[in-house]
Amino acid sequence: MRRTLTVAAAAAALLVSAGPLPAAGAGSAAAAPAAAGRWGAHEAESYWTPERMASARPLPPVPPQPGVAPEYPAADPVRIPPVPPVDAPVPPVDAPEPLDPPEPPLEPLDPPEPPLEPLDPPEPPLEPVEAPEPPEPAPVAAPSPSDTPTVAAPEPAPTPSVLPAPAPAPEPVPTPSILPAPAPVRPALPRIPAAGPGVGQDFGGLPVVGRMFLVKGGGSYFCTASVVASPGRNLVISAAHCLLGSDTQQVAFVPQYTRAKPRPFGMFPVVRTAAGRSKIWIDQRYRTQGVNRAAALDVAFAQVGPGAKGLRVQDVVGGNRLVTGAGYAHARATLIGHPSTAARPRLCVNRTTKYTSTDARIPGSFLRIACTGYPGGTSGGPFLLRLDGRTGTGDVVGVIGGWKTGGDKSDVSYSSYFGTDIRKLYEKAVAGAKAS
């Protein structure tokens, strides 16, 4: 099925408008309204209660517009197929037509990597720096003729009768006062499950990945998003189709959301300007051409404000490095998303391949990965290379979205290619976040 088949077809401005607090969606718990014109961490936490977050849904299909053909066929309902068992084989890629030449079956990764261990217990503190023993003083010899400057022939320097005392050994350096201060919060990484290629598994999540909650048309919804490293340490990346539309409001990012621990690292609201506009960057062509015609640009960056403790999101949970121009084929990519059917996020490792659309209505080439169990809600989830089990971060080369907003089946996912256009959009977001 399509992931979060989002957004009204009418395009909005580059910075998504955010107006007065709309009514809560059906089934949402009551929450105190945020002050008009203000949307900070305390207002976000007051609005997005654990009950409201738990009742949020993936975005619905695009509603038909008068006089405008719908973005997707009306006969294509939103379906969430059951997640196959862990030992089920990876289904073949369902493409409009077979690839030429056909791809060989997926091979197990060689050699298989052992499960990554959590960071609990934490690393021991650094030992005090030992002072090196002073070297024994060497006797001072008279300079040889070859060492004598040519301008004069000075007499050989006499050996000093009293050598200067060696410098006393420095005392051990106390680690806390001399080394840079660590990050305010040291996320404890859960065990990353080990499974065969293409087999998705629910797990405890990574602090750098979470849910992006938003209100649209009076309902409470969510996508997946992740922190991307930036100079301001305050940017997240998701799919553009998740955040497009003038009625997208009350947007907030929650790292490592699970139903059991809905705010383990707090909540980071998407920043609003003095004019009440949320700071979200989407390529102009995506807004004007639509989610199909501009599917190759289905990427968005958003600036988030500090959490309730005044800390920036990257200082709290870290950030993935944005990598562009890396190609389509990767032997080992990690896909993380928040499915609508699960109380925890989902992780899968497999190779990626290039998929070039043969549908003239959805032009472009995309990254493709076969991973079981990624239905609605996973849109915006990162494609990560070189995931470090100690830091919980890696290189982000894609997000679920693009061809049919990320894939029309839950077991095959797609991403817009991260090339020059995405790099320019990131630079624009960095400059905009810095200006604020």
Side-chain angles (χ1 to χ4, degrees):
M1 60 154 268
R2 296 191 177 87
R3 317 300 150 77
T4 66
L5 307 173
T6 100
V7 306
L14 184 62
L15 297 177
V16 178
S17 172
L21 184 67
S28 299
R38 175 170 173 79
W39 181 244
H42 294 291
E43 288 77 17
E45 290 185 356
S46 177
Y47 182 80
W48 288 109
T49 62
E51 295 78 14
R52 179 167 292 179
M53 287 190 286
S55 68
R57 307 179 301 276
L59 288 166
V62 177
Q65 301 292 319
V68 178
E71 291 285 350
Y72 305 103
D76 185 13
V78 175
R79 301 183 301 276
I80 300 178
V83 178
V86 172
D87 58 353
V90 178
V93 174
D94 187 5
E97 60 183 52
L99 295 177
D100 189 15
E103 299 178 2
L106 297 176
E107 297 292 336
L109 298 177
D110 187 19
E113 298 187 2
L116 297 170
E117 296 296 330
L119 282 181
D120 195 344
E123 300 178 4
L126 299 175
E127 296 294 332
V129 177
E130 294 288 344
E133 296 183 1
E136 296 183 2
V140 178
S144 64
S146 60
D147 296 331
T148 306
T150 57
V151 292
E155 297 180 0
T159 303
S161 58
V162 179
L163 295 176
E171 296 182 2
V173 180
T175 301
S177 63
I178 196 77
L179 298 179
V185 176
R186 180 67 170 176
L189 300 181
R191 182 181 298 276
I192 297 178
V199 179
Q201 294 192 82
D202 294 345
F203 78 124
L206 294 178
V208 77
V209 184
R211 282 192 180 188
M212 182 75 94
F213 290 96
L214 56 104
V215 169
K216 185 183 290 289
S220 299
Y221 301 100
F222 73 91
C223 282
T224 302
S226 58
V227 183
V228 59
S230 68
R233 310 179 71 81
N234 57 0
L235 289 182
V236 296
I237 186 173
S238 187
H241 73 263
C242 290
L243 300 173
L244 188 67
S246 59
D247 59 340
T248 302
Q249 303 175 20
Q250 314 307 109
V251 190
F253 173 67
V254 181
Q256 201 175 349
Y257 170 89
T258 65
R259 196 165 298 169
K261 296 181 179 179
R263 287 200 296 249
F265 298 102
M267 181 175 289
F268 299 84
V270 170
V271 171
R272 290 180 179 177
T273 66
R277 302 171 71 83
S278 296
K279 303 202 71 174
I280 297 171
W281 288 267
I282 297 172
D283 193 290
Q284 175 74 13
R285 291 165 292 179
Y286 194 82
R287 298 187 294 107
T288 57
Q289 297 177 19
V291 298
N292 278 344
R293 176 64 58 181
L297 301 170
D298 192 1
V299 180
F301 295 95
Q303 179 184 350
V304 296
K309 296 181 180 180
L311 302 176
R312 296 172 297 184
V313 66
Q314 190 177 329
D315 291 330
V316 175
V317 300
N320 296 315
R321 295 165 296 278
L322 179 72
V323 175
T324 59
Y328 296 85
H330 303 288
R332 183 183 178 88
T334 301
L335 188 68
I336 300 176
H338 283 260
S340 58
T341 54
R344 301 191 300 163
R346 194 163 181 81
L347 178 145
C348 171
V349 177
N350 206 350
R351 65 190 178 101
T352 64
T353 56
K354 181 178 182 179
Y355 170 73
T356 300
S357 172
T358 58
D359 188 338
R361 299 171 302 171
I362 315 175
S365 295
F366 307 87
L367 273 74
R368 175 177 58 189
I369 188 169
C371 277
T372 58
Y374 283 76
T378 58
S379 280
F383 286 58
L384 297 176
L385 304 182
R386 294 173 286 275
L387 177 61
D388 188 329
R390 298 185 64 80
T391 65
T393 62
D395 297 338
V396 58
V397 296
V399 295
I400 296 177
W403 194 78
K404 292 190 179 180
T405 64
D408 55 0
K409 294 184 180 299
S410 64
D411 294 340
V412 182
S413 299
Y414 299 80
S415 169
S416 302
Y417 178 66
F418 280 19
T420 303
D421 290 326
I422 305 306
R423 170 63 62 177
K424 290 180 178 178
L425 185 65
Y426 168 77
E427 291 172 352
K428 189 171 185 177
V430 167
K434 182 178 179 181
S436 64

